Amino acid sequence: CALPIFQFITPADPEVLHYSQSNERFVIDHPEESFVCVFAGATSGIGASTLEKMATMLHSPTFYVIGRSAERFAIQQSKLETLNPTCKVMFLEAEISLISDVDVACKQITAAEKKVDYLFMSPGMLPFNGAQCMWIFSLTSSLLTARIDTKEGVETSFALSYYSRIRLTENLLPL
């Protein structure tokens, strides 16, 4: 089945109205269906907003949220459970920029589920100067830029925007 396109802004644009109607139709067409959704990068921003919207739309979804800190996610998890008391929220603590952590999270999901209906990937960071995204002051106080690599030796913003997304897709594709 095709999942809806989520739209958060509702101006009087006919195209936006089409998306809103599609979302409403989706909920009506799948009243009792239980969806399994995996979110990487849903602890803030567009990912968190999408997760909240889906919690209000789906009947009794299971959400796997992959993020760095279960403690920081606790407030959002409570909000989700308030928005939809029938939802099941599983937080998997992992550093998305590390392929080994992505693999561990995917193994937990594939061990517990027979299917994944929706994969939402929005992990990110702000690379202020391309791959050069960290400012370091030398002993002489001159400003230098240094590349930030993961402990696996991959540039962090590239790992988040490319490698982790490909690995998530590849690992969950069998479901």
Side-chain angles (χ1 to χ4, degrees):
C1 71
L3 288 172
I5 297 172
F6 294 96
Q7 181 67 37
F8 300 105
I9 303 169
T10 56
D13 181 349
E15 189 171 320
V16 172
L17 181 60
H18 169 75
Y19 293 138
S20 296
Q21 290 169 343
S22 175
N23 289 349
E24 290 169 12
R25 228 179 10 260
F26 180 81
V27 174
I28 292 167
D29 291 346
H30 303 88
E32 298 298 320
E33 199 166 337
S34 180
F35 288 95
V36 176
C37 308
V38 177
F39 282 80
T43 55
S44 64
I46 190 80
S49 297
T50 303
L51 183 55
E52 289 173 17
K53 182 70 173 178
M54 287 185 75
T56 63
M57 289 180 62
L58 302 176
H59 173 61
S60 58
T62 299
F63 295 120
Y64 287 91
V65 180
I66 305 169
R68 286 183 296 213
S69 172
E71 184 179 320
R72 285 194 331 221
F73 184 71
I75 294 169
Q76 186 178 357
Q77 183 166 351
S78 295
K79 183 177 183 180
L80 292 168
E81 291 166 348
T82 301
L83 290 170
N84 183 348
T86 66
C87 77
K88 180 180 172 186
V89 181
M90 307 294 296
F91 186 83
L92 304 176
E93 199 160 340
E95 176 59 59
I96 297 292
S97 66
L98 299 175
I99 301 305
S100 58
D101 280 12
V102 169
D103 289 343
V104 169
C106 288
K107 283 179 185 170
Q108 291 174 308
I109 295 166
T110 56
E113 300 298 336
K114 294 180 180 162
K115 65 177 180 132
V116 170
D117 298 297
Y118 186 74
L119 176 58
F120 187 89
M121 299 179 282
S122 65
M125 62 181 286
L126 295 174
F128 293 110
N129 192 18
Q132 310 295 316
C133 55
M134 181 174 142
W135 300 101
I136 297 176
F137 289 93
S138 71
L139 294 175
T140 61
S141 295
S142 60
L143 192 60
L144 302 172
T145 60
R147 192 174 114 149
I148 300 175
D149 285 347
T150 68
K151 68 181 182 182
E152 295 173 331
V154 179
E155 197 277 319
T156 303
S157 64
F158 195 65
L160 285 169
S161 63
Y162 182 72
Y163 287 123
S164 65
R165 294 168 193 242
I166 297 298
R167 193 58 157 251
L168 273 164
T169 303
E170 179 181 56
N171 286 347
L172 296 176
L173 197 56
L175 297 179

